[in-house]
Amino acid sequence: MINDHYEVETPQYVVLGSNILEEKLKEINILKRIKVALIVTGPTKTREYGEIVKNILTDMNIKVFTYSLSNAFDKMQDKYINEVKSILNIAFQNNARIILGVAGGKVFDIVKACSELLSVPYISIPTAASHDGISSPIISYPIFEVISNKIPLKSSRVRPPIAILADTAIASKSDRRLLYAGCGDLIAKFTAILDWKLAHKRLKEKFNEYAAAMSMLGFKIIKNRRKIINLATEKSYRIVLKALIAVGVAAGFVSSSRPLSGSEHIFSHTLEMLSYKYGFRPALHGEQCGIGTIIMAYLHGKNWRLIKNILKEIGTPTNANELGIEEKYLIEALVTSRRIRPTRYTILNERNISYEEARKILYEVEVI
Ligand SMILES: [Zn+2]
């Protein structure tokens, strides 16, 4: 007997297309049964899309409450905890039976945490193509750490959205910088899979070749279609959204974020943590992951220049200047990354990098 079992969790309904939102929202079965819904949006333009979704749901005789996250650039800890608490309150008081996330990236971490804490499903309506959080059943590591510190949230691995409605007519109106950042998050799969293989080799960590292959496919599609993506037409958004959804779904094949996130993500998380410590503004998640992938590909002894060239042709930052983060923070991030997530074995665990070495590495890969 093989003493192991295999579990796959995927969204029930995924639609990607142009101007599909209204028609497809009305086809989702659960929305035909529930009476109260809660929409969670980001702080800026996504609020408008939240209104559109609200009108559609109201048309379906659903009572709708909306919560928009604040734009405050204050301390990470208070910000996320307060947002989660506010959403939980609204949902409790009004007996909301479903959450609809209408947003680009990080908002989905909050939506996932609330969906889990309330035991209600959520629907993902991405307004940009910037992040695989739109489809993955994972709360990103730093946000999970902050929330679970104060609120009893058991695992960063949550259920996938029951539906994903990705309307390219909406996403293509977002800033192209978000699109290029989404590509950074996909290019990151190159080193994420290398790290996963390394952990399998060194620690016998479980490796799932299907999830890994799907994740790598996300990388390859972006690599092969980088010129079209750079044009930032609706087709570009379609390519990137499709890849982001596919890799996020692949994470549902395993019980961790391994297929999505390796040392390059740890580097990005570290930068984010340093930004709260020193008060500088971090870059976009996918942009930081893209830079991380260049560095980690170098540490893995792989063709980092290829990674750099792909990112460059897409339009994603490839150095400190383009990223808008001072060299000293990038150096500190590289030195301290290996301490940030000790339970995740990556190439960072294979050597202790000093400040001087970090500077040399970043110089060599032309990040500084
Ligand atoms: Zn990511």
Side-chain angles (χ1 to χ4, degrees):
M1 192 181 99
I2 300 171
N3 194 16
D4 193 9
H5 74 282
Y6 184 54
E7 232 175 272
V8 175
E9 272 193 295
T10 57
Q12 289 170 11
Y13 194 57
V14 178
V15 188
L16 170 75
S18 189
N19 289 311
I20 48 96
L21 184 61
E22 179 161 7
E23 187 193 332
K24 296 301 171 187
L25 204 53
K26 286 182 172 168
E27 282 177 11
I28 296 176
N29 276 332
I30 192 171
L31 292 177
K32 294 173 188 164
R33 296 196 302 268
I34 57 125
K35 292 191 171 58
V36 186
L38 173 61
I39 295 173
V40 178
T41 79
T44 52
K45 211 170 171 249
T46 59
R47 298 170 87 130
E48 287 169 34
Y49 296 119
E51 272 306 299
I52 294 172
V53 173
K54 183 180 176 175
N55 291 338
I56 299 169
L57 296 182
T58 309
D59 252 11
M60 296 168 75
N61 291 322
I62 298 170
K63 194 168 182 196
V64 185
F65 294 87
T66 306
Y67 184 87
S68 295
L69 269 75
S70 76
N71 207 4
F73 184 62
D74 50 16
K75 277 212 155 132
M76 187 179 180
Q77 192 136 343
D78 299 336
K79 184 178 164 188
Y80 291 119
I81 296 291
N82 292 341
E83 304 278 28
V84 169
K85 282 184 179 165
S86 306
I87 294 168
L88 293 180
N89 268 341
I90 298 173
F92 266 131
Q93 278 167 15
N94 302 291
N95 200 20
R97 304 311 304 157
I98 194 161
I99 304 177
L100 294 96
V102 184
K106 270 186 196 161
V107 174
F108 283 104
D109 287 317
I110 306 286
V111 167
K112 287 170 198 174
C114 294
S115 148
E116 203 65 15
L117 290 160
L118 291 161
S119 292
V120 301
Y122 68 99
I123 292 175
S124 165
I125 303 175
T127 56
S130 60
H131 206 298
D132 60 27
I134 57 173
S135 55
S136 75
I138 313 280
I139 300 173
S140 84
Y141 180 73
I143 296 181
F144 172 74
E145 286 292 296
V146 167
I147 296 174
S148 61
N149 214 355
K150 292 271 169 71
I151 300 174
L153 188 63
K154 280 193 217 111
S155 167
S156 60
R157 173 69 162 81
V158 295
R159 282 163 306 172
I162 55 156
I164 304 171
L165 301 186
D167 194 324
T168 51
I170 292 176
S172 60
K173 290 194 187 80
S174 66
D175 187 342
R176 66 172 66 193
R177 188 182 160 203
L178 296 170
L179 172 77
Y180 299 156
C183 294
D185 206 17
L186 285 159
I187 292 301
K189 309 316 172 211
F190 178 77
T191 42
I193 300 304
L194 287 174
D195 284 323
W196 196 8
K197 283 182 179 163
L198 184 69
H200 176 66
K201 193 171 152 194
R202 299 273 196 264
L203 310 176
K204 300 276 168 285
E205 194 180 305
K206 254 191 193 175
F207 182 80
N208 180 306
E209 54 275 64
Y210 294 98
M214 261 176 93
S215 197
M216 272 309 277
L217 186 60
F219 162 76
K220 283 179 195 158
I221 285 170
I222 300 306
K223 169 177 166 265
N224 295 339
R225 314 208 64 188
R226 56 191 187 268
K227 290 203 167 73
I228 299 171
I229 293 169
N230 169 266
L231 301 175
T233 61
E234 192 169 342
K235 190 174 178 185
S236 320
Y237 285 83
R238 186 184 167 90
I239 294 165
V240 178
L241 271 172
K242 198 170 171 186
L244 288 169
I245 293 171
V247 299
V249 169
F253 290 15
V254 291
S255 57
S256 83
S257 59
R258 266 296 188 188
L260 305 179
S261 149
S263 49
E264 75 300 317
H265 268 71
I266 298 177
F267 176 76
S268 169
H269 298 331
T270 311
L271 269 177
E272 206 161 305
M273 288 170 175
L274 291 179
S275 79
Y276 289 104
K277 184 176 167 191
Y278 295 116
F280 66 89
R281 194 165 191 95
L284 296 174
H285 168 81
E287 293 176 338
Q288 295 181 166
C289 288
I291 297 274
T293 310
I294 299 171
I295 303 164
M296 303 311 155
Y298 171 88
L299 293 180
H300 271 288
K302 298 290 176 186
N303 189 353
W304 61 270
R305 198 168 279 286
L306 171 72
I307 302 293
K308 197 175 178 94
N309 287 340
I310 297 169
L311 291 169
K312 215 178 243 174
E313 284 182 53
I314 291 165
T316 316
T318 61
N319 60 47
N321 206 13
E322 290 166 1
L323 198 61
I325 296 180
E326 284 180 59
E327 291 179 5
K328 60 180 180 188
Y329 299 131
L330 293 169
I331 293 169
E332 184 166 342
L334 183 53
V335 172
T336 53
S337 278
R338 75 194 299 262
R339 297 199 289 271
I340 294 299
R341 196 172 183 179
T343 51
R344 170 144 299 180
Y345 195 89
T346 69
I347 193 70
L348 290 163
N349 296 72
E350 305 253 308
R351 64 192 273 193
N352 211 342
I353 300 171
S354 70
Y355 275 84
E356 214 27 67
E357 281 168 324
R359 184 187 301 279
K360 250 168 96 180
I361 292 166
L362 292 178
Y363 183 75
E364 201 138 320
V365 295
E366 297 159 18
V367 166
I368 62 172

